[in-house]
Amino acid sequence: MAITPINGSDSKPSWFTPKRLLIIFCVINMVNYVDRGAIASNGVNGSLGTCTESGICTSGTGIQGDFNLNNFEDGVLSSAFMVGLLVASPIFASLAKSHNPFRLIGVGLSVWTFAAAGCGSSFNFWSITLCRMLVGVGEASFISLAAPFIDDNAPPAQKTAWLAMFYMCIPTGVALGYVYGGLVGSYFNWRYAFWGEALLMLPFAVLGFVVKPLQLKGFAYANPSNALTTVEATDPVTGDGSDVDDVVIASDETTKSSAFSKLSNQFTRFSKDMKVLLLDKVYVVNVLGYISYNFVIGAYSYWGPKAGYNIYHMSNADLLFGGITIVCGILGTLSGGFILDNMNATISNAFKLLSGATFLGAIFCFSAFCLRSLYGFIALFAVGELLVFATQAPVNYVCLHCVKPSLRPLSMAMSTVSIHIFGDVPSSPLVGILQDHLKNWRITALILTAVLFLAAGIWFIGIFLNSLDLSNEDDGDQVTLINRANMKPLLEENRNEEVDAPVEV
């Protein structure tokens, strides 16, 4: 469907097609997680210097060796990005209601690029921690807005499969990061790994500003030269405006409003949207299960190579864990998406897949760490990871489809913030503390893996909840007096039906 903007902008179709959008977003997501894998790799993360009883000492390597970090500080470093992500994600999700979401992604990727370069130029623990926080700020806009764009433009019968392709880049990126960090750290220096990531991301940051911006379903924004104001809509039937979303209109009065008034309106709207999410039992149960799941996955991704090196004396732990995660991440994530589509993608079926796959995966992973044989461990752990990664597409499908379109960015933002702030952020330093106390990586790994059973139990509860797919609900209460066409995705123009006449209001 071709849409001509009312605000006088060029009606020429965007360079993007749905498949191009998916590919580019997948690459960006992969670079994000290459960074996560690289900082956890033995080549970049490194180790402290050691001294033998005879007095022979070896110098430390990587970040931990250069900055002389203990395990707790090392774990904090892996989680520092979440400070920026926590603060910036709700902000970007709220700004999407008044600013073009695609341009917001460009802003975020620009911050990410400069922050990654800063990590490579850091000179102590606090400087690299600050840069890691800014990496989180940069990532915030992308994680909040990318999935809604993909869901808007995926074929109706393949929505979960397209989400699976996007989230497949998480384990793949982390795994490639292990390999990338190991190789760069071994042959050059850990700093070059971060500089290389910044160069990889730079073209996509530029792309976010130079191409024609895309539009997101459920949001309306006018010409940025016009001021926007928020007023409460009134239901034309009941006359009650208490349950109706804000109406965004262009008004000359906005130019006279104070900055405090605008901030107050934004906060009021954010509070109202947050209340809707927190009262949604389906959303809350889904996120609670996701938090437990991510607690384990986050610690696996950070401590996995070091644990494997100590338990099974793997000389090539980075490459081995990277290889297992790449294969299992790709196959598991894609399988989860395609299975849910073939089961008939519903929220109830998604919970069935989430609980079943996580429970079986937990059994295999727990059994793997009980074995003494390296080859037995690899076989069982690979099957366990295959099952665990099958949850990636279904869990995000629930986040997108249990809320109406206008709440999707905030739904994704708060889900991501929650799984990190309550999941992998505390898990990395807590596992570090646990290991410092137990001094036995096998027992530490078994205790950590047991948390997967909790995730499976929480998601099992979701099967019995009264779930309703709201993703196609018409946000008729949220209208724009400037450009009604903005309520539809721009990539509709690439679909079969085409309308040549401009859209009139």
Side-chain angles (χ1 to χ4, degrees):
M1 178 182 294
I3 299 175
T4 302
I6 301 302
N7 59 12
S9 61
D10 185 9
S11 62
K12 181 180 178 181
S14 169
W15 171 82
F16 282 99
T17 63
K19 289 184 179 179
R20 284 178 182 172
L21 177 73
L22 176 64
I23 292 171
I24 289 176
F25 278 9
C26 283
V27 174
I28 294 172
N29 204 30
M30 189 171 295
V31 175
N32 271 326
Y33 282 90
V34 163
D35 174 74
R36 308 274 183 89
I39 197 172
S41 69
N42 288 327
V44 170
N45 184 263
S47 60
L48 290 169
T50 58
C51 291
T52 63
E53 294 181 356
S54 60
I56 300 176
C57 297
T58 57
S59 60
T61 60
I63 297 173
Q64 190 173 23
D66 282 4
F67 297 150
N68 195 31
L69 308 179
N70 58 37
N71 281 340
F72 176 75
E73 291 173 326
D74 202 17
V76 168
L77 190 62
S78 74
S79 306
F81 79 98
M82 259 310 300
V83 176
L85 193 67
L86 171 65
V87 174
S89 291
I91 294 175
F92 278 115
S94 297
L95 287 175
K97 290 193 172 183
S98 56
H99 296 74
N100 185 277
F102 193 75
R103 292 291 188 244
L104 292 176
I105 290 177
V107 171
L109 295 184
S110 299
V111 174
W112 194 99
T113 301
F114 285 110
C119 289
S121 305
S122 57
F123 51 87
N124 61 16
F125 169 72
W126 292 108
S127 63
I128 193 170
T129 299
L130 177 61
C131 289
R132 297 307 299 169
M133 292 178 185
L134 291 176
V135 166
V137 172
E139 187 179 334
S141 65
F142 184 72
I143 58 97
S144 303
L145 300 167
F149 272 119
I150 293 173
D151 190 66
D152 273 353
N153 299 288
Q158 298 177 356
K159 286 186 178 293
T160 319
W162 277 44
L163 287 174
M165 294 177 197
F166 177 70
Y167 287 105
M168 173 195 72
C169 299
I170 294 178
T172 306
V174 171
L176 288 176
Y178 288 154
V179 178
Y180 169 74
L183 293 176
V184 173
S186 299
Y187 290 99
F188 301 99
N189 185 280
W190 63 268
R191 298 181 185 274
Y192 286 90
F194 294 112
W195 291 334
E197 293 168 8
L199 288 176
L200 287 172
M201 188 66 82
L202 182 60
F204 300 107
V206 174
L207 190 67
F209 293 100
V210 299
V211 301
K212 180 180 177 182
L214 308 183
Q215 299 165 3
L216 189 60
K217 177 183 176 183
F219 289 88
Y221 39 86
N223 190 320
S225 63
N226 297 328
L228 298 178
T229 189
T230 303
V231 298
E232 193 72 17
T234 302
D235 192 307
V237 177
T238 65
D240 180 10
S242 58
D243 295 325
V244 185
D245 284 346
D246 295 332
V247 179
V248 182
I249 64 172
S251 171
D252 293 335
E253 294 178 2
T254 308
T255 59
K256 302 176 184 178
S257 63
S258 64
F260 176 79
S261 177
K262 293 179 182 179
L263 184 61
S264 177
N265 286 337
Q266 287 278 7
F267 181 76
T268 300
R269 182 168 57 190
F270 173 75
S271 300
K272 179 181 176 182
D273 291 343
M274 279 300 300
K275 182 179 180 181
V276 173
L277 290 182
L278 292 176
L279 293 177
D280 189 331
K281 294 180 181 178
V282 174
Y283 181 78
V284 171
V285 167
N286 187 55
V287 172
L288 286 176
Y290 205 5
I291 288 171
S292 303
Y293 166 90
N294 213 56
F295 186 94
V296 179
I297 298 301
Y300 272 176
S301 66
Y302 193 75
W303 293 113
K306 191 164 290 188
Y309 177 80
N310 284 274
I311 296 173
Y312 298 102
H313 308 291
M314 301 176 187
S315 58
N316 56 345
D318 283 342
L319 295 176
L320 185 58
F321 268 84
I324 292 175
T325 307
I326 285 178
V327 175
C328 296
I330 292 174
L331 294 179
T333 307
L334 289 178
S335 297
F338 283 105
I339 289 172
L340 183 56
D341 279 336
N342 288 321
M343 287 174 65
N344 184 18
T346 64
I347 293 176
S348 178
N349 283 342
F351 276 125
K352 292 176 184 177
L353 183 56
L354 287 169
S355 59
T358 305
F359 182 76
L360 291 175
I363 292 175
F364 277 95
C365 289
F366 193 90
S367 301
F369 282 110
C370 292
L371 297 180
R372 299 287 178 180
S373 167
L374 171 61
Y375 297 106
F377 165 80
I378 292 174
L380 290 183
F381 190 72
V383 176
E385 279 210 319
L386 189 71
L387 289 163
V388 167
F389 280 122
T391 62
Q392 285 294 320
V395 71
N396 288 285
Y397 174 90
V398 175
C399 278
L400 288 169
H401 287 254
C402 71
V403 299
K404 59 186 178 181
S406 62
L407 286 178
R408 290 180 306 167
L410 186 61
S411 169
M412 296 303 299
M414 297 315 299
S415 170
T416 304
V417 167
S418 298
I419 66 173
H420 289 309
I421 200 65
F422 299 113
D424 57 8
V425 166
S427 73
S428 294
L430 285 176
V431 169
I433 292 174
L434 182 64
Q435 173 58 22
D436 286 340
H437 177 72
L438 296 176
K439 301 187 184 305
N440 187 318
W441 275 110
R442 188 185 301 275
I443 296 176
T444 299
L446 288 171
I447 294 173
L448 173 66
T449 303
V451 179
L452 284 175
F453 291 106
L454 175 62
I458 294 173
W459 277 328
F460 183 73
I461 295 173
I463 299 174
F464 305 99
L465 296 178
N466 183 21
S467 56
L468 186 64
D469 192 329
L470 302 177
S471 63
N472 293 319
E473 183 176 288
D474 182 20
D475 274 348
D477 49 346
Q478 184 183 20
V479 298
T480 174
L481 302 182
I482 296 296
N483 187 1
R484 182 114 182 148
N486 283 338
M487 300 296 290
K488 294 182 178 295
L490 181 64
L491 296 190
E492 286 284 345
E493 65 198 8
N494 297 297
R495 308 264 171 95
N496 294 330
E497 182 182 0
E498 185 175 59
V499 178
D500 295 325
V503 175
E504 297 181 357
V505 177

